[in-house]
Amino acid sequence: MDPIPRPARADDAPFDAGAFDAALTSAIANHRDRPGGLMPLLHDLQHALGWIPSQAIEPIAAALNLSRAEVHGVVTYYPDFHTTPLGRHRVQVCRAESCLARGGDALLEQVRDALACDLHETRADGHVTLEPVYCLGLCAGSPALMVDGRPYARVDAPGVAAIATLLEEQA
């Protein structure tokens, strides 16, 4: 295999080229010969790195005998694949109908203000990423959000403040 191109990281935290090389090589080796191996390969790579660098597209395409467009299309189509690094904490605010009907817009504004972060963004300090999610399955406890994989239901302004304080304490 040709040398793996490494992502440039001038605008973010230092990029660990060794981790990138190891994760990409391992993911390709584990899924290269599997029918339908693209999705599990991408999941493995994202699990290892936390995101899928654009520089991984070409080697993945070559290894799986796919076009770069096919790989890029899959990476950008699915909202759980990330093409930029996430913050240390991931906050997802439910935007489904039930949550919206029970104060989801107000919840989102409170979270934006408390975390000083907008949707689809990672704060400049790299501490938190704020994302929409289109149903957490907590409709009976709307409005809801999820922090680092932990769901919170019936979230109100004091709950947002408490979550924000907890996250800031973990900075």
Side-chain angles (χ1 to χ4, degrees), residues 91 115 145 147 152 155 157-169:
V91 177
L115 298 178
L145 58 80
V147 179
Y152 293 85
V155 182
V160 170
I163 290 168
T165 299
L166 259 167
L167 291 176
E168 295 307 323
E169 288 172 354

Side-chain angles (χ1 to χ4, degrees), residues 24-171:
L24 184 59
T25 300
S26 173
I28 288 173
N30 290 337
H31 302 287
R32 160 182 267 143
D33 298 320
R34 291 178 142 179
L38 178 59
M39 292 289 283
L41 187 156
L42 293 172
H43 281 289
D44 283 1
L45 185 60
Q46 181 161 289
H47 180 75
L49 300 175
W51 63 301
I52 300 173
S54 61
Q55 291 80 356
I57 302 298
E58 190 170 341
I60 291 170
L64 299 180
N65 197 28
L66 299 170
S67 71
R68 289 181 307 218
E70 288 173 300
V71 176
H72 181 266
V74 170
V75 170
T76 58
Y77 176 79
Y78 291 100
D80 281 337
F81 289 136
H82 300 281
T83 57
T84 57
L86 296 177
R88 287 182 294 284
H89 298 284
R90 183 179 182 192
V91 177
Q92 297 171 293
V93 179
C94 183
R95 306 300 295 146
E97 291 80 1
S98 177
C99 284
L100 291 176
R102 305 242 357 236
D105 285 333
L107 173 65
L108 177 58
E109 288 307 314
Q110 292 163 359
V111 171
R112 281 178 170 155
D113 292 345
L115 298 178
C117 188
D118 207 354
L119 281 178
H120 305 285
E121 291 185 0
T122 298
R123 235 170 42 188
D125 64 4
H127 189 64
V128 66
T129 296
L130 181 59
E131 299 176 320
V133 64
Y134 296 95
C135 196
L136 293 170
L138 298 171
C139 301
S142 298
L145 58 80
M146 187 177 303
V147 179
D148 297 332
R150 181 177 177 190
Y152 293 85
R154 295 183 183 90
V155 182
D156 55 11
V160 170
I163 290 168
T165 299
L166 259 167
L167 291 176
E168 295 307 323
E169 288 172 354
Q170 296 175 9

